[in-house]
Every structure is written in C-alpha cells, then in structure tokens.
Amino acid sequence: MIHTPADRKPIPGPEYLQSTRFIDSDKDAVRRFAEQAAGAAKTNIERAVKLFYAVRDGIRYDPFSMRLDPAIYVASHVLTAKSAYCIPKAILLAACARALGIPCAIGLSDVVNHLTTEKLKALMGGTTYFMHHGYAVLYLEGQWVKAAPAFNIELCTRFGVLPTEFDGRSDAIFQPYDARRRRHMEYVKDHGVWSEFPYDRVDADFRAFYPVSAFNAGGGGEKFEDGVRVL
C-alpha cells in the first residue's frame, strides 16, 4: 500500500490500477456496473464522469451505515448493499475506474458539517467534526482530480444541498455553502491519498474519536422518503 502525504502528488504507477482487497475491480459485478455506466463514452474523462454520476446517484448515501466491519468497505459489497456513506462510495468509484483502466486512489480528509442534523450529531457523540471523509482521486489527462460521490441527488434536493458536480478536469468536492448560502461543509485536514483503502488506520482512528453508538445505528427499520433516508 502506498500513502502519499497531502503536500505531494502520487506518482502514477501499477498500484493505482490493481484490484485489491477493498478496491476489488476484478470482480464481475464491479466490471459490469462500470461498463454499463460508461456506455459508449470514448475518453477516460468521459468514462470517469459517467462513473461518478452512476455511483453518486445509483448508491444511496446513508451516514447511519457507518460500521467497524471491513466487509462494508469492499466495492463489490457496496453494489449489493445499494447504500453507503462517503468512504465505501468512494471505494466503489475507485474500483469502477480501475476496472476501466483509469488509475485511481483513495483520499481522506477531515471535515466539519455545519448543517449536521441533530439526530446524526447526537449519534456521533455531539460533534459536527467528521473524521476521514472519503473520496476518489482519479488520474485523468496527466493530473489527479478529486471526486466525492457521496450525496445522491435526491438527498441534495430534499435538504437544499448543492450537489457535487464532476467534469473530470477539476476537483469535485463538497460545497462550502448550501443553496440558501448557509455555511455547509468545511475541509479542515487533508490526510493524503492511498493506493488501497487504509482500513486499519481508519478503524483505529474511529474507535479513538467516536463513541461506540456511532457504529450501531443500523439493524433495519429505516425510514425513507423519495429515496432519501430520514436523517
């Protein structure tokens, strides 16, 4: 596993195209999803854009699915679950990119969500600080670009959040303000990027920072409205 600190850019190499434990781009389900999403796109930028929107809107964002279980971070599992929070969605995008020959890494940053709901804030121990927000980092036309496919369009519409859009040429990260110009997402610490999802580090950091309750929110009984889990 290669880790590149935030003050440097990764050096493109075979590590960013390999199928791994979490970025399992060699799985048939991942390859089929990627090929279907890319369709007739001819360039890597066109393919990457189509993959981004397929993952952003095809996999429902669910912050309550956060678990200390390595299985939920495997790309092929995310396809089966059809809902996930930011890190697994980023891993799926990375796997799809690699399946189509696009080098891709996983980036992690800490953020403050100024619009966190009271329900989610309570679950996270009263904090609005979210450690290890995950996104994919794709190598396209000689440069690395960030792509955060977390918030599906239905969620954005319901909560008045500006959707993250991706053109394959510039970073697609969370918006600092929402549609009403309220402060929304603040990036506070960049941890760099990895050629494989660093599960052990994230697991240890989560256990040290969050209460156990943050990882025990599931178990069924979820309520959805218009394809959005009620937060």
Side-chain angles (χ1 to χ4, degrees):
M1 182 191 307
I2 297 176
H3 173 229
T4 303
D7 61 349
R8 300 207 304 269
K9 295 291 186 182
I11 298 174
E15 298 84 3
Y16 300 100
L17 283 168
Q18 290 175 351
S19 182
T20 65
R21 175 188 180 188
F22 296 101
I23 309 173
D24 57 345
S25 55
D26 63 345
K27 290 293 191 297
D28 289 342
V30 173
R31 188 170 298 277
R32 283 195 303 269
F33 180 86
E35 290 174 347
Q36 186 173 40
K42 293 180 171 52
T43 69
N44 276 352
I45 282 187
E46 291 173 346
R47 295 183 188 99
V49 169
K50 287 181 175 292
L51 291 178
F52 174 83
Y53 287 104
V55 174
R56 190 194 76 172
D57 297 330
I59 305 297
R60 186 172 51 243
Y61 176 73
D62 183 1
F64 298 96
S65 66
M66 192 169 159
R67 293 287 179 278
L68 298 177
D69 176 1
I72 74 161
Y73 298 93
V74 176
S76 55
H77 172 83
V78 181
L79 280 178
T80 301
K82 300 195 181 306
S83 65
Y85 77 108
C86 61
I87 294 178
K89 290 190 70 171
I91 291 170
L92 175 59
L93 177 54
C96 289
R98 291 186 185 185
L100 297 186
I102 301 171
C104 196
I106 292 295
L108 297 173
S109 293
D110 296 350
V111 300
V112 172
N113 185 347
H114 295 279
L115 297 179
T116 302
T117 63
E118 290 303 315
K119 180 179 179 181
L120 184 56
K121 181 179 176 181
L123 184 71
M124 307 304 285
T127 186
T128 60
Y129 190 99
F130 289 81
M131 181 177 288
H132 294 320
H133 156 60
Y135 46 88
V137 188
L138 300 94
Y139 191 69
L140 297 165
E141 292 193 348
Q143 67 172 344
W144 292 95
V145 290
K146 298 177 181 179
F151 295 163
N152 54 294
I153 192 64
E154 294 89 354
L155 181 144
C156 292
T157 299
R158 181 175 176 217
F159 288 98
V161 173
L162 294 173
T164 302
E165 308 289 0
F166 185 52
D167 63 6
R169 292 180 170 84
S170 55
D171 291 341
I173 58 177
F174 284 151
Q175 304 283 3
Y177 298 94
D178 74 350
R180 294 165 53 189
R181 298 303 297 169
R182 295 177 299 176
R183 196 173 189 190
H184 182 203
M185 203 68 71
E186 177 185 0
Y187 284 79
V188 295
K189 187 173 184 179
D190 189 338
H191 297 285
V193 304
W194 285 260
S195 59
E196 164 68 312
F197 172 55
Y199 175 80
D200 290 342
R201 171 176 174 161
V202 171
D203 179 87
D205 288 348
F206 279 177
R207 290 178 187 275
F209 188 74
Y210 292 114
V212 174
S213 61
F215 309 100
N216 296 321
E222 298 94 339
K223 181 180 179 183
F224 292 92
E225 295 179 3
D226 299 324
V228 179
R229 183 169 178 171
V230 177
L231 304 183

